[in-house]
Amino acid sequence: MINLNKFSSYFVANWKLNGDFNFIDQFLDQLKIPKNDSKCVVICPTSVHLNYISTKKKGLYLGAQNVSQYKSGAFTGEISCQSLLDLKVDFCIVGHSERRQKYFETEIDVNQKTQQLIDAKVIPIVCIGETLEDKENKRTTNILAKQLDDGIPEISNSNNTLIAYEPVWAIGTGLTPTLDEIYQTHEFIKNYDTKFNNFKILYGGSVKASNAKKIVSLSNVDGALIGGASLKHDEFGKIIED
Ligand code: PEP
């Protein structure tokens, strides 16, 4: 398992269902990787492209977008933690809101996937966040509390798990919370239980070159999870630049 403490910040590119060999070749050729190796830059392509990237990447870490909660067996179409380990995958996103909403993933699924990953020595990046309706009904902290309580297993700690705060209403919409709202929410997560005090917390939701520096410079934001903007090598390059 990667030593999370050697990094000062984390930038995770979630490519979702995008990319092909051509795109990957061009992206990796053109991306300017920061000299500062305390920045952990993670690319999460489709699972089919993990192996291709693993043979080509230099100065980047590899992440998956999802994993099965089961070790092995009759689960057609699923991807095991062991197969991620075989491909030298270092990180795996868990509980992304698209998986919660479109594939009906529950907190139990998130909890089991996170446990499996930790056992396999792959770092889970557990996504939590409120919907617009939750926010409007002032239920953000209740929702986050439930996701932390039920989705994060006992064995998780600051050395083996990352948390990504991703307000669902900010994903792919161009909207973001204010800097103060991000700061307050990260503060809530860190102080919700003493066990979360030292967790690294990334922010995700419409991060782009023009807002990334301000967001990541907040004292309790340890990096960013980036969707749309991570598909453009120049935009992503600006987000991760020193
Ligand atoms: C995401 O998919 O996790 C995400 C943050 O997407 P975007 O940056 O496009 O909002």
Side-chain angles (χ1 to χ4, degrees):
M1 182 176 272
I2 277 195
N3 175 7
L4 288 178
N5 295 314
K6 68 179 182 177
F7 302 111
S8 58
S9 53
Y10 307 81
F11 295 88
V12 181
N14 177 13
W15 281 359
K16 311 191 189 196
L17 194 57
N18 296 295
D20 54 23
F21 288 158
N22 231 333
F23 168 83
I24 293 169
D25 288 344
Q26 286 186 16
F27 186 95
L28 294 183
D29 275 357
Q30 293 171 351
L31 180 69
K32 287 207 186 80
I33 296 170
K35 294 217 170 60
N36 175 357
D37 63 5
S38 77
K39 283 189 181 171
C40 178
V41 182
V42 185
I43 304 286
C44 305
T46 73
S47 42
V48 171
H49 292 112
L50 283 168
N51 191 43
Y52 190 65
I53 296 210
S54 110
T55 60
K56 299 190 141 239
K57 69 177 170 72
K58 284 198 191 85
L60 298 168
Y61 293 87
L62 191 58
Q65 299 175 15
N66 182 35
V67 73
S68 172
Q69 63 269 52
Y70 305 109
K71 267 200 170 67
S72 60
F75 301 102
T76 302
E78 289 294 286
I79 296 156
S80 68
C81 283
Q82 183 56 49
S83 56
L84 297 186
L85 200 61
D86 288 348
L87 294 181
K88 303 201 173 20
V89 169
D90 308 295
F91 294 87
C92 181
I93 297 170
V94 185
H96 191 281
S97 61
E98 287 156 13
R99 296 216 53 92
R100 292 175 187 263
Q101 291 185 333
K102 295 178 184 162
Y103 299 93
F104 311 109
E105 277 189 13
T106 64
E107 297 307 340
I108 296 171
D109 299 329
V110 173
N111 189 305
Q112 288 176 349
K113 288 176 184 207
T114 303
Q115 284 207 39
Q116 294 277 347
L117 286 164
I118 294 170
D119 289 346
K121 310 224 174 313
V122 177
I123 306 264
I125 305 167
V126 183
C127 300
I128 60 174
E130 80 286 2
T131 63
L132 187 57
E133 194 186 349
D134 297 327
K135 180 178 161 63
E136 285 172 352
N137 290 315
K138 308 215 176 319
R139 287 182 42 79
T140 298
T141 53
N142 302 47
I143 296 297
L144 296 178
K146 178 143 183 59
Q147 291 173 332
L148 291 169
D149 281 338
D150 297 349
I152 310 258
E154 280 295 311
I155 55 165
S156 273
N157 60 48
S158 58
N159 297 317
N160 64 23
T161 303
L162 293 174
I163 293 176
Y165 168 55
E166 296 211 301
V168 181
W169 54 271
I171 295 178
T173 59
L175 303 172
T176 55
T178 63
L179 291 173
D180 189 50
E181 282 171 330
I182 295 174
Y183 180 86
Q184 296 302 339
T185 309
H186 281 224
E187 211 53 15
F188 169 79
I189 296 167
K190 284 198 194 253
N191 294 314
Y192 176 62
D193 186 311
T194 49
K195 90 176 239 187
F196 297 119
N197 287 169
N198 297 320
F199 270 62
K200 304 274 192 285
I201 307 178
L202 320 188
Y203 167 78
S206 294
V207 172
K208 44 191 185 235
S210 58
N211 62 15
K213 293 269 183 304
K214 279 194 183 135
I215 294 173
V216 174
S217 66
L218 292 171
S219 60
N220 58 11
V221 175
D222 299 293
L225 178 44
I226 305 122
S230 73
L231 288 164
K232 298 176 200 130
H233 69 83
D234 48 349
E235 180 86 5
F236 189 57
K238 282 185 195 141
I239 293 172
I240 62 177
E241 77 187 357
D242 291 328

